Amino acid sequence: MRLKLDERGLPVSAEDPPPVNIRSSASWVIGIVAFIYLIADIVLANNDLNIAVDVVLCVIAFMALCYYSVRAAVAVWTGSQAYVDYLIVAIALGWMSQSGQAGLRAIARLSGFDRTFTDSEIFGILKLMSIVAALMHILPRGAANGQVPKSNRTVIVGGLIFAIVAAVTVVTVHPDPKPLIEMMPMWSRDTFRTGSNLPPGAPPA
């Protein structure tokens, strides 16, 4: 009798559940999330929809952070040199940043985008975590199945220089995005007319 092997070359028992590939997992997750989002978009005004999405993202991202935080802390504490630990630390930092930013965005919307709050440096600190996380994904040699990235310092330095130049240019020029915003298609604004485009104090459409 010929043994059936999995993709790693290991024997598969008849009692074992069939393996689930990333395409099928992503498909049903995307389907469920998209369905819930569509229903919420019909019912809620866009401002409330964005608040709800940010609250969900804050909680789910924190859940992912908790899942990786212990391994990430051990890697940092022991000074691990394994490329997979670089990625785990980067993942933990990335989800910490995502969770914090989502929570702050929800608070900003609930406050009516109070400038005192939205200009707070705490936003910048959380964004910097994402920058560090991105660099941690690139730094380790032999990551991504030993093929890419190859810790190409030229790419990292070039990317940082381009990002800094772009940031300085935008802050210096201060381009006005309003004409482009006015050209946005209706589906990207409020397709179901749930009230986000109405003047303050007006009842929902």
Side-chain angles (χ1 to χ4, degrees):
M1 179 178 179
R2 186 175 180 180
L3 290 175
K4 185 178 180 181
L5 304 179
D6 63 13
E7 57 187 15
R8 297 172 296 175
L10 301 175
V12 178
S13 170
E15 290 78 20
D16 291 339
V20 179
N21 62 53
I22 191 170
R23 183 164 51 193
S24 61
S25 298
S27 297
W28 68 261
V29 169
I30 292 172
I32 292 174
V33 172
F35 177 76
I36 294 174
Y37 181 86
L38 179 62
I39 297 301
D41 193 18
I42 295 173
V43 176
L44 298 175
N46 279 12
N47 185 61
D48 292 339
L49 176 64
N50 278 283
I51 292 173
V53 170
D54 274 330
V55 170
V56 172
L57 175 56
C58 180
V59 174
I60 297 299
F62 184 76
M63 180 182 69
L65 169 62
C66 292
Y67 188 83
Y68 285 98
S69 59
V70 174
R71 174 68 182 272
V74 170
V76 173
W77 180 260
T78 59
S80 173
Q81 296 180 344
Y83 72 82
V84 67
D85 285 337
Y86 272 82
L87 301 182
I88 287 173
V89 171
I91 290 169
L93 285 173
W95 286 124
M96 185 185 299
S97 174
Q98 288 291 327
S99 180
Q101 288 187 64
L104 292 180
R105 285 195 302 268
I107 295 172
R109 284 183 175 275
L110 290 169
S111 71
F113 294 102
D114 186 289
R115 290 296 297 271
T116 303
F117 181 73
T118 55
D119 285 343
S120 171
E121 281 84 358
I122 191 171
F123 281 90
I125 294 171
L126 291 170
K127 292 173 184 177
L128 288 175
M129 287 183 183
S130 287
I131 296 174
V132 174
L135 293 174
M136 292 286 286
H137 275 90
I138 303 171
L139 285 173
R141 292 184 180 276
N145 199 28
Q147 297 178 6
V148 290
K150 292 294 187 181
S151 190
N152 192 329
R153 294 178 182 177
T154 302
V155 173
I156 295 174
V157 173
L160 282 173
I161 292 174
F162 178 81
I164 292 171
V165 170
V168 171
T169 302
V170 171
V171 171
T172 303
V173 176
H174 265 281
D176 182 10
K178 290 181 181 178
L180 294 176
I181 293 175
E182 293 173 355
M183 294 170 58
M184 289 172 59
M186 182 52 65
W187 63 263
S188 64
R189 299 182 187 180
D190 190 11
T191 304
F192 300 101
R193 298 289 186 175
T194 44
S196 68
N197 290 333
L198 298 177

